[in-house]
Amino acid sequence: MPRFSVQEHHASHLHWDLRLEKDGVLKSWAIPKGPPLKIGIRRLAIETEDHPLDYIYFEGIIPPGCYGAGIVKLWDRGTYEIESWEDDKIVVVFNGEKLRGRYALLRLKDKNWLFFKTKKQPKFSDDHTPRGHDHRHKDVEKP
């Protein structure tokens, strides 16, 4: 099961970095107002460069003068399932501490995407995983 993380990034402007493990890298988006936790909230997500996999759970200080200088805190982590991944539309089901359920990323123009929790949500079992799927954190490394 691929992993994801969201990092709260106190750089020149506070934003949250969404990282999705795919094809040996972390596909990444900066979300200026933070990830949406409820249906009906839509957020701008700006696609950024891919990051190496070992950056997935990074927390710490990026020194002044370096790209992204500032404090980085791990905001959420978990696994996700890809429902569809196309050039202009990505649909995934997150199983994290905060991000849970089906989300979509829709390309608006160039590197600008719309990120939101979809109206249609999977049914979750008693252990809070989507029914028929094992999304527990047993294979996720601790930072």
Side-chain angles (χ1 to χ4, degrees):
M1 191 68 54
R3 302 170 296 164
F4 82 92
S5 70
V6 178
Q7 295 157 318
E8 184 178 320
H9 192 168
H10 296 261
S12 57
H13 298 288
L14 173 62
H15 65 278
W16 287 256
D17 293 312
L18 173 64
R19 316 260 186 226
L20 302 180
E21 179 180 20
K22 187 169 190 301
D23 300 331
V25 297
L26 296 173
K27 301 295 185 181
S28 301
W29 291 263
I31 307 166
K33 293 186 177 183
L37 298 176
K38 297 180 182 177
I39 294 170
I41 297 172
R42 297 171 185 270
R43 296 282 196 242
L44 174 65
I46 303 159
E47 187 176 5
T48 63
E49 71 281 349
D50 293 345
H51 284 61
L53 288 176
D54 60 358
Y55 197 71
I56 192 163
Y57 302 131
F58 174 79
E59 289 186 281
I61 298 173
I62 300 172
C66 295
Y67 175 75
I71 297 170
V72 178
K73 298 177 185 176
L74 190 60
W75 185 82
D76 196 15
R77 62 187 278 160
T79 58
Y80 75 99
E81 179 180 344
I82 298 170
E83 286 196 3
S84 66
W85 194 297
E86 301 166 23
D87 289 343
D88 294 332
K89 180 181 179 184
I90 299 167
V91 180
V92 298
V93 177
F94 287 117
N95 185 41
E97 299 294 321
K98 296 177 183 175
L99 291 184
R100 301 188 66 75
R102 182 180 287 112
Y103 280 77
L105 281 156
L106 301 177
R107 187 185 304 271
L108 299 172
K109 184 178 180 187
D110 300 323
K111 295 186 177 289
N112 292 332
W113 295 69
L114 193 62
F115 182 47
F116 59 94
K117 190 169 190 175
T118 66
K119 289 181 183 176
K120 182 181 175 189
Q121 288 294 310
K123 301 260 189 247
F124 284 86
S125 62
D126 291 339
D127 69 354
H128 305 290
T129 60
R131 288 195 181 138
H133 304 283
D134 184 2
H135 292 261
R136 285 169 265 168
H137 298 276
K138 61 186 170 204
D139 62 335
V140 176
E141 302 170 21
K142 295 285 183 194

